[in-house]
Amino acid sequence: MALMRYDNQYNRRTYPPVVRGSERDIIVIEDLVKSYGDRKAVDGLSLSVREGEIFGFLGPNGAGKTTTVRCVSTLTNFDSGTIRVDGVDLLKDPVTAKSRMGIIQQQISLDKDLTVRENMTHHAMCHLMSKKEREPRIAELSETFGLTEYMETPINSLSGGWKKRVAIVCALLHRPKILFLDEPTTGLDTNARRLLWDVVRKLNIDGATVILTTHYIEEAESLCDRVAIIDHGHVIALDTPHALCTSIGSMAVEYVSDGKTLYRYFGTRQEAKDFAAGLDEDSHILIRRTNLEDVFVELTGREAGLG
């Protein structure tokens, strides 16, 4: 009989996740198209995001995740389609729509020559916040995110994780109902990534609808109430992480045959064990929970983390 290993995450993960928020759609995208020259980065994409949820776009680099976020957040014009943000048509009233959103981009848009406080003040003034309004708000958010002692520190002196915190505070100063995070943990070490996850969860608990793009499977599974898997500018699947995984089978058997790693999916752990028991003893078998990487590969034939 083949030697079988069991992923120790089997006993740590709980399903299904609790979906927070309401049934009200705070963002509605219909038939969105955005092209760069002859290439369609987004090709007829339609979806909706519920108020109060953490919603994730998962897919490889170049799939259309960032372009979609840039269109919705008014950073990029789009060719055709309709976008409504909190009931506001983006084309008819972009100023009102933008006032309800905050965004943290992949490349942090902070002035490296200014201090933390100066960056926050500048962002608040861009949102026309008065001194009476912005100073207590800056103090409140700085304390919340542990930045009080760094207020007079130049941005360029901070690590990537602390810069992310400053960027999040800047994005939250005007109390947006919706927060976009585009590849928020790219370039961060494991500890910084998990700290940022805690920040995202707190923002959501405090009432913000959070939309993030990522190609990290663990990030989408850990944070998101629902996930849209994007490929070639299309939504190819959309549901809770649990539902997406169970759609192909809740348990996976990963094994090696003729030097190639193969995967089979099953509805129950016992079915997976029965299949594994019949494999060659040199197959290097792993029985584990199905994850979103499996779903993506089954749908597209390639790994989600690839560019």
Side-chain angles (χ1 to χ4, degrees):
M1 178 179 172
L3 177 64
M4 291 177 280
R5 294 183 295 122
Y6 301 97
D7 189 340
N8 60 14
Q9 288 190 5
Y10 179 81
N11 293 318
R12 293 205 308 267
R13 295 170 65 185
T14 57
Y15 288 105
V18 176
V19 178
R20 298 176 296 276
S22 69
E23 293 301 315
R24 175 179 179 264
D25 292 332
I26 196 166
I27 292 177
V28 178
I29 305 170
E30 297 177 342
D31 300 319
L32 181 66
V33 176
K34 171 63 180 180
S35 300
Y36 294 100
D38 295 331
R39 184 180 71 87
K40 285 187 177 180
V42 180
D43 188 9
L45 185 145
S46 297
L47 59 82
S48 59
V49 177
R50 297 169 187 157
E51 185 175 27
E53 73 177 336
I54 301 179
F55 187 95
F57 289 107
L58 176 67
N61 293 328
K65 308 183 305 297
T66 293
T67 300
T68 299
V69 167
R70 288 183 62 85
C71 290
V72 177
S73 59
T74 74
L75 294 177
T76 298
N77 294 326
F78 50 95
D79 303 335
S80 61
T82 302
I83 300 175
R84 293 189 296 278
V85 177
D86 199 21
V88 178
D89 188 303
L90 199 64
L91 291 179
K92 293 179 179 178
D93 192 355
V95 174
T96 298
K98 191 171 184 177
S99 71
R100 298 175 187 181
M101 297 183 283
I103 182 168
I104 295 93
Q105 301 180 67
Q106 290 184 44
Q107 302 299 322
I108 299 175
S109 56
L110 299 171
D111 192 324
K112 65 181 182 180
D113 295 323
L114 299 181
T115 65
V116 171
R117 185 187 305 279
E118 289 168 341
N119 268 278
M120 293 179 184
T121 300
H122 173 73
H123 276 74
M125 292 175 69
C126 286
H127 285 284
L128 305 179
M129 296 176 68
S130 67
K131 182 176 182 180
K132 182 179 180 180
E133 182 183 10
R134 69 176 179 257
E135 289 193 346
R137 180 65 172 164
I138 288 173
E140 172 195 355
L141 290 175
S142 299
E143 181 176 358
T144 298
F145 292 104
L147 288 164
T148 303
E149 64 181 288
Y150 299 102
M151 296 302 287
E152 311 310 325
T153 303
I155 288 294
N156 213 28
S157 300
L158 298 177
S159 68
W162 286 103
K163 288 177 183 176
K164 287 282 188 180
R165 291 193 184 204
V166 177
I168 289 174
V169 168
C170 289
L172 291 174
L173 286 170
H174 63 296
R175 293 181 171 84
K177 298 179 70 173
I178 305 160
L179 181 65
F180 291 94
L181 297 103
D182 187 19
E183 304 284 2
T185 59
T186 297
L188 300 184
D189 61 36
T190 300
N191 288 335
R193 284 178 63 197
R194 293 183 181 243
L195 283 172
L196 188 56
W197 290 3
D198 290 339
V199 169
V200 171
R201 291 188 184 100
K202 184 181 188 312
L203 293 173
N204 184 244
I205 289 170
D206 289 343
T209 300
V210 180
I211 299 150
L212 64 90
T213 70
T214 184
H215 57 250
Y216 293 127
I217 298 298
E218 183 184 4
E219 191 158 85
E221 289 187 322
S222 177
L223 291 175
C224 297
D225 297 309
R226 291 192 302 149
V227 173
I229 298 179
I230 309 291
D231 192 33
H232 297 299
H234 299 278
V235 175
I236 60 174
L238 194 164
D239 214 323
T240 66
H242 172 60
L244 289 170
C245 290
T246 56
S247 69
I248 64 170
S250 60
M251 298 301 300
V253 178
E254 182 178 327
Y255 62 102
V256 176
S257 179
D258 296 326
K260 183 179 180 180
T261 303
L262 302 175
Y263 305 86
R264 287 286 299 274
Y265 305 105
F266 301 89
T268 68
R269 183 174 177 83
Q270 187 59 52
E271 289 173 332
K273 290 174 65 176
D274 291 344
F275 172 79
L279 295 173
D280 184 88
E281 62 182 14
D282 296 324
S283 295
H284 304 289
I285 302 162
L286 172 65
I287 296 176
R288 58 171 174 77
R289 288 269 190 190
T290 305
N291 59 41
L292 290 178
E293 181 99 36
D294 299 317
V295 178
F296 193 90
V297 171
E298 285 296 299
L299 292 174
T300 70
R302 58 187 172 136
E303 296 179 359
L306 295 179

